[in-house]
Amino acid sequence: MHPFRKAVENRDHAAIEAMLAENVVFTSPVAFRPYPGKAITAAILRGVIRVFTDFRYVREIGGEDGRDHALVFTAKVGDMEINGCDFLHFDEEGRIDDFMVMVRPLSAAQALSAAMGAQFDRIKAEALAATEAADTASEGER
């Protein structure tokens, strides 16, 4: 079992965040533009964990070099069944630097969009707080 899969299935937010590169880019299945950065990606993933119920990975597909991985999942958003895939790329240090999600069917993607939209003020606030904490910590190290 891939460590990212294990962290997600255990809802281990700290382990998930530790696997993200600072320069990770998250590509959402329902937003036009990707989200660059660890703070916003971690906050989005926490939001997804709050929104999805009955989440489980059903298949893992690994690239030959170990730097690309696909995790196929099922979940529910409200009463809608959703199928999707997390496409992960890992940098030289083994951290996720590219995270793209695709989902189907369209009706479930629309339900996901609405549910995540309702979470987005909280997601932005969490990302801002994490960024400010990181900035404060790096100032203290100087």
Side-chain angles (χ1 to χ4, degrees):
M1 177 183 300
H2 193 276
F4 182 79
R5 175 181 179 172
K6 184 176 180 181
V8 171
E9 289 180 345
N10 289 333
R11 296 178 167 253
D12 186 342
H13 300 287
I16 293 167
E17 190 167 345
M19 287 183 229
L20 300 174
E22 290 297 326
N23 65 339
V24 63
V25 176
F26 180 82
T27 304
S28 165
V30 295
F32 179 72
R33 290 195 172 99
Y35 296 94
K38 183 175 183 173
I40 190 68
T41 299
I44 289 168
L45 295 175
R46 286 190 299 273
V48 169
I49 288 173
R50 290 189 295 267
V51 165
F52 280 163
T53 59
D54 298 332
F55 179 91
R56 63 189 168 87
Y57 284 116
V58 296
R59 186 172 178 200
E60 289 186 45
I61 305 163
E64 288 183 25
D65 65 1
R67 293 187 61 190
D68 289 291
H69 217 74
L71 297 165
V72 180
F73 64 84
T74 63
K76 285 189 175 180
V77 179
D79 61 353
M80 301 287 281
E81 179 94 17
I82 193 165
N83 304 102
C85 190
D86 293 337
F87 295 95
L88 310 174
H89 181 268
F90 295 84
D91 64 15
E92 296 80 23
E93 286 87 39
R95 290 198 174 86
I96 300 167
D97 62 359
D98 187 50
F99 192 129
M100 180 174 58
V101 181
M102 293 188 177
V103 296
R104 63 158 308 279
L106 177 59
S107 57
Q110 291 168 328
L112 176 61
S113 179
M116 289 301 291
Q119 292 274 321
F120 223 75
D121 285 341
R122 180 176 176 181
I123 289 168
K124 287 189 295 188
E126 288 178 7
L128 180 61
T131 300
E132 289 172 351
D135 290 347
T136 301
S138 66
E139 285 176 11
E141 292 174 1
R142 288 184 230 168

